[in-house]
């Protein structure tokens, strides 16, 4: 696999900030996933070569971190927290509403590939529960209305 110009530039810059090449592994895997939609076998091989690791060592890192995936999901990932603080403030209801609004189950993507929903344990936003992450953006003090507005906003944006 050949890195895109953007990935190439990110790698070249990041590798100068750390004492060893392996230190760029997790951030580069996230950048790769953002660009490709998933961490592919080819990407694993390429980043292993560049960081002087084995493919197996990279696969172990990918399997350890729940935010890294080897299968593509929807473009907009709703990660709804249902851990204790969120649970007590309606996290399960927010998850159920999101699934129903999008017509999918947990860890499923919509047929058009636009949305994905998954229940997560904790996103570190306990003070603002219930909370979720939409890609890399936090959304706190959730209500069903806020979720509906997010979905509608994305649909409008994607139709332009």
């Amino acid at each position: 696999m050949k890195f895109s110009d953007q990935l190439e530039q990110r790698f070249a810059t990041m590798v100068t900030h750390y004492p060893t090449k392996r230190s760029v592994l997790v951030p580069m895997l996230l950048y790769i996933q953002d660009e490709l939609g998933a961490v592919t076998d080819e990407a694993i091989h390429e980043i292993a070569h560049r960081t002087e690791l084995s493919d197996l060592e990279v696969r172990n890192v990918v399997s350890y971190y729940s935010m890294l995936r080897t299968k593509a999901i929807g473009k907009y990932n709703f990660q709804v927290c249902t851990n204790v603080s969120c649970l007590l403030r309606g996290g399960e209801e927010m998850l159920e509403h999101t699934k129903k609004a999008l017509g999918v189950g947990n860890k499923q993507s919509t047929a058009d590939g636009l949305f994905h929903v998954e229940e997560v344990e904790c996103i570190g936003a306990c003070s603002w529960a219930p909370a979720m992450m939409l890609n890399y953006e936090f959304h706190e003090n959730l209500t069903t209305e806020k979720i509906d507005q997010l979905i509608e906003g994305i649909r409008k944006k994607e139709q332009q």
Side-chain angles (χ1 to χ4, degrees):
M1 170 195 164
K2 182 178 180 326
F3 275 3
S4 68
D5 291 342
Q6 185 178 18
L7 282 176
E8 197 68 62
Q9 183 179 8
R10 282 185 166 152
F11 182 82
T13 301
M14 284 180 23
V15 78
T16 65
H17 292 111
Y18 297 99
T20 63
K21 290 180 181 180
R22 84 178 294 139
S23 299
V24 303
L25 181 59
V26 172
M28 281 304 298
L29 287 170
L30 286 167
Y31 288 131
I32 289 166
Q33 179 173 276
D34 284 347
E35 187 170 295
L36 302 178
V39 181
T40 63
D41 290 342
E42 297 81 15
I44 287 171
H45 182 72
E46 180 65 22
I47 197 66
H49 173 73
R50 288 172 180 256
T51 56
E52 299 171 354
L53 297 168
S54 70
D55 286 14
L56 180 59
E57 288 172 304
V58 174
R59 284 184 194 286
N60 287 340
V61 170
V62 170
S63 69
Y64 178 79
Y65 289 103
S66 62
M67 74 269 205
L68 294 171
R69 296 178 278 294
T70 56
K71 303 254 187 282
I73 62 168
K75 182 176 180 181
Y76 297 95
N77 186 18
F78 286 77
Q79 295 177 299
V80 183
C81 179
T82 58
N83 208 335
V84 175
S85 294
C86 288
L87 177 73
L88 293 173
R89 300 215 48 220
E92 280 188 341
E93 291 83 0
M94 297 303 110
L95 175 64
E96 291 307 314
H97 180 79
T98 305
K99 293 187 318 186
K100 184 177 179 185
L102 296 173
V104 296
N106 186 40
K107 295 188 178 183
Q108 292 183 347
S109 297
T110 56
D112 61 5
L114 199 55
F115 299 102
H116 184 82
V117 177
E118 63 181 299
E119 178 180 12
V120 294
E121 271 302 306
C122 185
I123 59 173
C126 301
S127 295
W128 307 279
M132 74 173 182
M133 285 188 67
L134 176 54
N135 294 353
Y136 295 112
E137 190 175 294
F138 281 96
H139 293 273
E140 302 102 2
N141 297 304
L142 288 178
T143 63
T144 56
E145 293 81 16
K146 285 182 180 180
I147 291 170
D148 291 342
Q149 289 170 357
L150 286 169
I151 293 169
E152 186 60 31
I154 292 168
R155 285 188 171 134
K156 284 182 181 175
K157 176 183 164 185
E158 290 294 323
Q159 289 175 352
Q160 294 177 356

